[in-house]
């Protein structure tokens, strides 16, 4: 019987149809096993990197105190373990105890922390509500965007310290003034990132909404807001940290009410209790880190990793 060339599978077809050895290995568990070490190495770098930088920072702190500072200036840069002992491991230092002119300890830091949390939290909440409103209105009307955008840029570009005397003169040096400082310093990233997200929706999705006869509100709440969530949470992360900055800066100038962390820093500086001052600075940094990480975690929980800018 004669067999035509068409009836015989060629080497080319056979080689293409046969799965490669690498593909067969990846189909079993071996490919996953081979991919695990790089993933574990990446996770290790994520932890080891910050720890290495932190260790370098502490080492440089000790080096600055013992080597770079002269004997007369060494009290200006106390060693880290002294800051830890007096500010965090000692619960309460009574005024006049061991020569302390202001008192201190962890209890005083926690009181200042609570005051700053109240100011930063209320200021951030107002900034979020106002920022969402402005960004939504600006995304729906170009003339509103063109009218408000230059003033928002000017508000962001002007140093916050320039507003402090004006706010204190008009409103008073009180709790409300400290909250307003937080709103001013935190609102721009919310407006900018939310507006960017609302306006960055793919045109094809807008056309699909148009074909289905969707109203403006339906388009906004079912398309634009969900698509803008990654950008929104990026702005929230930035503004959360800035609200802490605003609360601390406001404490330096608005001295009525309960003292916050900024006022404690100023108080300890004036009384030359530098261990306590450094402790208040560290507590302020920890507060900023915590709120930044918190909003990042919320963003991952709500948005997930579906957006390319968050998964990359």
């Amino acid at each position: 019987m004669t067999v035509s060339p068409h009836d015989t599978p060629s080497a080319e077809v056979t080689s293409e149809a046969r799965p490669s050895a690498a593909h067969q290995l990846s189909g079993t568990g071996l490919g996953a096993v081979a991919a695990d070490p790089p993933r574990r190495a990446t996770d290790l770098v994520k932890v080891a990197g910050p720890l290495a930088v932190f260790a370098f920072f502490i080492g440089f702190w000790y080096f600055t105190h013992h080597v770079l500072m002269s004997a007369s200036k060494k009290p200006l840069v106390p060693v880290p373990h002294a800051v830890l002992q007096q500010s965090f491991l000692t619960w309460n230092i009574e005024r006049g105890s061991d020569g302390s002119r202001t008192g201190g300890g962890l209890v005083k830091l926690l009181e200042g922390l609570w005051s700053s949390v109240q100011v930063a939290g209320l200021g951030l909440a107002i900034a979020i509500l106002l920022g969402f409103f402005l960004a939504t209105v600006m995304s729906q009307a170009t003339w509103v965007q063109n009218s408000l955008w230059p003033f928002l840029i000017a508000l962001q570009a002007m140093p916050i310290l320039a507003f402090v005397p004006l706010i204190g003169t008009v409103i008073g040096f009180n709790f409300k003034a400290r909250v307003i400082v937080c709103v001013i310093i935190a609102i721009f990233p919310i407006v900018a990132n939310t507006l960017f997200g609302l306006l960055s929706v793919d045109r094809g999705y807008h056309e699909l909404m148009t074909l289905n006869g969707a109203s403006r509100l339906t388009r906004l709440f079912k398309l634009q807001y969900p698509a803008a969530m990654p950008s929104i949470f990026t702005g929230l992360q930035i503004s959360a940290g800035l609200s802490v900055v605003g609360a601390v800066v406001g404490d330096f100038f608005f001295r009525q009410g309960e003292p916050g962390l900024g006022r404690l820093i100023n108080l300890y500086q004036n009384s030359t209790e530098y261990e306590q001052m450094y402790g208040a600075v560290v507590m302020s940094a920890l507060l900023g880190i915590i709120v930044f990480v918190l909003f990042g975690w919320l963003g991952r929980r709500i948005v997930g990793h579906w957006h390319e800018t968050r998964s990359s």
Side-chain angles (χ1 to χ4, degrees), residues 90-175:
T90 303
W91 176 249
N92 188 24
I93 299 177
E94 296 291 342
R95 187 173 184 177
S97 174
D98 296 329
S100 175
R101 290 184 285 177
T102 59
L106 182 59
V107 63
K108 200 159 187 176
L109 278 183
L110 292 178
E111 292 174 355
L113 175 65
W114 174 239
S115 177
S116 295
V117 166
Q118 289 179 298
V119 174
L122 182 57
L124 179 62
I126 296 174
I128 290 173
L129 294 177
L130 185 58
F132 280 178
F133 173 76
L134 291 177
T136 302
V137 174
M138 292 167 69
S139 69
Q140 300 303 305
T142 305
W143 68 270
V144 177
Q145 178 181 347
N146 294 334
S147 301
L148 295 180
W149 192 245
F151 296 98
L152 289 170
I153 294 176
L155 187 68
Q156 173 68 15
M158 187 175 296
I160 190 61
L161 295 180
F163 286 102
V164 170
L166 176 63
I167 296 173
T169 302
V170 176
I171 300 177
F173 296 87
N174 50 29
F175 181 85

Side-chain angles (χ1 to χ4, degrees), residues 209-295:
M209 282 283 185
T210 302
L211 289 175
N212 286 275
S215 64
R216 184 183 291 265
L217 286 178
T218 302
R219 189 190 305 264
L220 177 65
F221 287 102
K222 292 191 176 181
L223 174 62
Q224 289 179 278
Y225 266 127
M229 280 298 169
S231 297
I232 289 174
F233 276 98
T234 299
L236 290 178
Q237 276 188 292
I238 299 172
S239 294
L242 290 177
S243 66
V244 175
V245 175
V248 174
V249 169
D251 278 338
F252 279 102
F253 299 93
F254 307 131
R255 300 175 180 271
Q256 295 182 13
E258 297 181 2
L261 291 174
R263 189 171 169 187
L264 288 180
I265 294 173
N266 196 13
L267 178 66
Y268 291 141
Q269 179 189 22
N270 294 335
S271 60
T272 66
E273 297 184 16
Y274 297 111
E275 290 85 0
Q276 304 288 339
M277 184 189 76
Y278 276 77
V281 172
V282 171
M283 185 67 80
S284 302
L286 290 176
L287 176 59
I289 293 172
I290 288 172
V291 295
F292 185 86
V293 172
L294 174 63
F295 277 95

